[in-house]
Amino acid sequence: DGGITQSPKYLFRKEGQNVTLSCEQNLNHDAMYWYRQDPGQGLRLIYYSQIVNDFQKGDIAEGYSVSREKKESFPLTVTSAQKNPTAFYLCASSPSGDRGHYGYTFGSGTRLTVV
Amino acid sequence: QKEVEQDPGPLSVPEGAIVSLNCTYSNSAFQYFMWYRQYSRKGPELLMYTYSSGNKEDGRFTAQVDKSSKYISLFIRDSQPSDSATYLCAMSSNYKLTFGKGTLLTVNP
């Protein structure tokens, strides 16, 4: 079955460390996204990529970095510059065309905790 | 004013009740309007989408969009305990989604 795989499901990080969250899709979608979800905050866009080797900052990009070297993969690095990284991170992808508006598929998320 | 406003609840109803969930928005450029359901510790899944104004029905679920009032609604008829989840409204402009904060719904048996 096609879908999005995020790993790991749970991640613990010490303060001052960088960590990388994995996101892989086999849906042949062009666009991929990273969102952060905090209690009572909804989903906020961190970065998005509409094509390989290109990506744009979302609303809360500070302290994060991404790469898009392959269509299937869009890893997110949470750097030590991110002041409050504890959150639930969701990766999504969407196809091109009109379905790009409503055809988002989300992964199951990675819960990152700073210890 | 935030682009999308959604009452976070929580909302608790008895099994069989009709549930009404709502969002308001300020950006006139939004054209696609979606409702997502998210179970605890899972990713959101698309329930319904509507293009422009009007109603759309799918089983026990009805989505309504009133662009003149910048107001969207999701109605759930004959609610079931399995409907207990967080419901997120989302709107699309230039292929980027803007989400409401989500409403936590509990349907009690």
Side-chain angles (χ1 to χ4, degrees):
Chain A
D1 286 335
I4 293 186
T5 301
Q6 288 188 243
S7 61
K9 194 172 181 65
Y10 298 96
L11 187 57
F12 297 88
R13 188 196 90 174
K14 292 183 179 179
E15 285 193 25
Q17 286 182 338
N18 294 353
V19 290
T20 297
L21 282 58
S22 171
C23 178
E24 303 277 336
Q25 57 105 351
N26 60 4
L27 298 164
N28 200 33
H29 284 173
D30 292 313
M32 297 188 74
Y33 311 82
W34 274 105
Y35 287 89
R36 170 180 172 142
Q37 188 174 31
D38 297 281
Q41 292 291 323
L43 273 69
R44 293 182 290 169
L45 182 63
I46 304 172
Y47 268 98
Y48 65 102
S49 167
Q50 294 179 314
I51 195 169
V52 174
N53 292 322
D54 190 39
F55 48 84
Q56 286 79 41
K57 293 181 179 180
D59 301 317
I60 55 165
E62 185 176 351
Y64 300 97
S65 66
V66 293
S67 63
R68 186 87 187 275
E69 297 177 1
K70 298 186 302 181
K71 187 176 184 178
E72 301 80 17
S73 179
F74 191 40
L76 173 74
T77 296
V78 184
T79 74
S80 56
Q82 170 50 234
K83 298 304 179 188
N84 186 22
T86 294
F88 189 50
Y89 290 87
L90 286 160
C91 179
S93 69
S94 67
S96 54
D98 285 345
R99 286 198 67 240
H101 292 284
Y102 57 84
Y104 277 48
T105 299
F106 283 87
S108 295
T110 293
R111 186 165 298 279
L112 173 64
T113 304
V114 173
V115 296
Chain B
Q1 181 185 10
K2 290 191 181 296
E3 275 196 299
V4 179
E5 300 271 11
Q6 181 176 9
D7 185 343
L11 185 61
S12 181
V13 302
E15 183 175 354
I18 297 174
V19 176
S20 172
L21 304 167
N22 312 291
C23 289
T24 58
Y25 65 95
S26 58
N27 186 349
S28 300
F30 290 139
Q31 289 194 306
Y32 284 86
F33 303 88
M34 281 69 67
W35 286 96
Y36 285 83
R37 178 174 61 195
Q38 185 178 23
Y39 292 112
S40 181
R41 292 185 290 275
K42 299 289 187 184
E45 56 179 343
L46 179 68
L47 265 180
M48 298 182 72
Y49 77 92
T50 308
Y51 175 70
S52 194
S53 285
N55 294 1
K56 190 172 186 178
E57 187 174 319
D58 184 4
R60 296 185 294 111
F61 299 89
T62 299
Q64 290 185 350
V65 174
D66 182 349
K67 292 191 75 175
S68 62
S69 302
K70 296 188 175 65
Y71 187 88
I72 72 169
S73 301
L74 177 70
F75 297 95
I76 307 174
R77 291 182 298 281
D78 188 25
S79 56
Q80 302 295 309
S82 58
D83 295 328
S84 298
T86 296
Y87 289 80
L88 298 148
C89 64
M91 304 171 192
S92 177
S93 173
N94 293 325
Y95 300 96
K96 285 169 54 183
L97 296 190
T98 302
F99 287 85
K101 292 185 176 182
T103 300
L104 178 61
L105 170 68
T106 301
V107 181
N108 301 297

